[in-house]
Amino acid sequence: MSDSEPDEELLSLLRQSLGISGEPSSKSPATGVLEGAQHIYHNSIDVALDTYGTKAAAAQIWRLMQEKSYTFKTWSEHSLHPKGKDEATANFIFLMDLLNFCFWSESSDPQQRFAVEYQGQRWTGYWSLVAAIHRALDEDIPITTPSFWITDTECTDDVLKHVFRSATPELIPLLDERMTCIREAGRILMENFNGSVPQLIHQAKQSSTALVNLLVTNFPCFKDVATFEGRSVHFYKRAQIFVADLWAAFEGQDLGRFHDIDTITMFADYRIPQMLHSLGCLRYSPSLESRIRNLNELESQGSWEVQLRGCSIWCVELIRKEIRRQHPKAEVNAILIDFFLYDTMKDREADAVETIPHHRTRSIWY
């Protein structure tokens, strides 16, 4: 072997240490998410992918990720994400992703939207949920303990309303649905997994796709499925992000070790399509773009919404492939690209430089 040739054994060990398994297959047969996305992409008439825009975005994303030294360890650098590597962190992440949906506000006034005050700062969006969980734990409310969720005398509606109380007049969206998810998940964990999130994780035997399937099979509120052009398509946004957050929080070890982590796709929500459109990767039909710009809601699991979500998944897959084509040694997967795009979108939102609003759908799926 010449000095210029890569040491494949060393590369393999490096991938294992990072929790990345190398180049994933073009399909994800265990979950069907990628196949469904491809089906949506091939049959979509209102959302299209711009080939040149996607290639340019791939180069830009990789350059910025390198400049920022962006890895899965960046996840733990945020002040609100849990820092431990134990059962308490696994429980925290489970609750966090159980309720990781629908934070957008109908108010045009940022000061009026749902927000959580914690440690002297006001948090909105996804971070409002994470802050609310921390705040409850600080108040000695065992909100991340599954057995607590099914204790009728303790985990009452009033207690949960207190946990998710707002610093503004606007309540957290879909509060009733969130309370239903908590109680349903608590019952299932107690009945099927001895009330233990780690036991649920261990049953997957370090397979990310197996863990996703355990979630969507056992927990109805994780079964994120729709029908498009005569075919059932899977998105599994919150089930997949649970795996991704474990992988990042535990840095690919212990409860976060998955030998097939690269089979996880991006997490189809309302923020990433917005970012992909801003980057010139996605194009919308005039009717769909008009509806989004006018802040009109899209029907949950309707054709427009399904096209947006499916084409976003496929777009990120193409971006990942393009990065790997340009940089064969790049340790990158759809999870890291999604995390990076979301963080970048939040930065743009804070700086008020959004080029298009995100689409609006009220849903527990994202």
Side-chain angles (χ1 to χ4, degrees), residues 52-324:
Y52 295 105
T54 301
K55 289 180 180 293
Q60 181 182 1
I61 289 167
W62 179 245
R63 176 179 58 80
L64 292 173
M65 289 178 77
Q66 294 299 103
E67 288 178 2
K68 296 182 178 181
S69 300
Y70 200 92
T71 70
F72 65 175
K73 294 184 178 181
T74 306
W75 188 94
S76 296
E77 292 175 0
H78 194 282
S79 62
L80 289 185
H81 274 154
K83 304 297 185 288
K85 292 175 173 52
D86 51 20
E87 180 175 357
T89 291
N91 287 348
F92 190 107
I93 292 172
F94 183 87
L95 177 64
M96 183 177 76
D97 290 325
L98 178 70
L99 305 180
N100 186 357
F101 56 82
C102 200
F103 300 105
W104 60 269
S105 172
E106 295 181 5
S107 174
S108 59
D109 182 356
Q111 298 302 314
Q112 295 299 311
R113 66 180 295 192
F114 169 74
V116 168
E117 287 189 351
Y118 179 66
Q119 292 187 340
Q121 187 169 343
R122 183 169 286 192
W123 304 91
T124 60
Y126 160 76
W127 294 115
S128 66
L129 170 66
V130 187
I133 296 173
H134 277 295
R135 183 178 63 184
L137 293 174
D138 289 352
E139 295 172 348
D140 294 325
I141 300 172
I143 192 60
T144 58
T145 303
S147 59
F148 172 74
W149 304 341
I150 61 170
T151 308
D152 294 339
T153 57
E154 297 181 17
C155 189
T156 64
D157 285 1
D158 286 342
V159 167
L160 292 177
K161 288 176 182 178
H162 174 76
V163 168
F164 300 112
R165 66 190 183 276
S166 179
T168 72
E170 184 177 79
L171 300 178
I172 186 172
L174 303 182
L175 176 59
D176 288 343
E177 288 81 357
R178 293 177 200 277
M179 293 193 293
T180 297
C181 286
I182 288 173
R183 292 180 174 126
E184 176 188 84
R187 176 181 56 79
I188 294 168
L189 281 170
M190 296 303 293
E191 291 177 355
N192 299 347
F193 303 98
N194 294 322
S196 169
V197 173
Q199 183 176 122
L200 165 68
I201 297 167
H202 287 312
Q203 282 198 21
K205 298 180 179 178
Q206 298 184 342
S207 167
S208 60
T209 50
L211 183 51
V212 168
N213 283 332
L214 276 171
L215 287 169
V216 301
T217 300
N218 286 276
F219 301 84
C221 63
F222 276 108
K223 195 170 185 178
D224 179 10
V225 177
T227 300
F228 184 72
E229 294 296 316
R231 172 175 169 174
S232 176
V233 290
H234 304 166
F235 295 109
Y236 298 163
K237 183 260 185 179
R238 291 185 295 109
Q240 289 202 111
I241 205 169
F242 174 61
V243 174
D245 285 345
L246 287 173
W247 175 66
F250 288 86
E251 298 185 355
Q253 301 299 317
D254 193 29
L255 294 174
R257 178 183 289 277
F258 300 101
H259 61 77
D260 56 350
I261 191 64
D262 289 351
T263 60
I264 299 297
T265 71
M266 66 79 77
F267 319 116
D269 65 356
Y270 51 84
R271 279 300 187 186
I272 302 304
Q274 179 188 23
M275 186 67 187
L276 293 173
H277 183 279
S278 299
L279 287 170
C281 301
L282 293 185
R283 303 295 184 193
Y284 303 156
S285 67
S287 55
L288 174 57
E289 181 157 346
S290 173
R291 195 166 182 87
I292 292 173
R293 290 192 180 279
N294 288 327
L295 307 181
N296 300 131
E297 283 193 38
L298 304 186
E299 178 188 3
S300 178
Q301 300 186 337
S303 178
W304 277 343
E305 185 225 25
V306 169
Q307 289 179 62
L308 283 165
R309 299 183 77 196
C311 289
S312 296
I313 293 172
W314 194 246
C315 183
V316 169
E317 173 65 8
L318 296 183
I319 288 172
R320 183 198 64 79
K321 286 183 175 181
E322 179 63 18
I323 292 174
R324 292 298 296 268

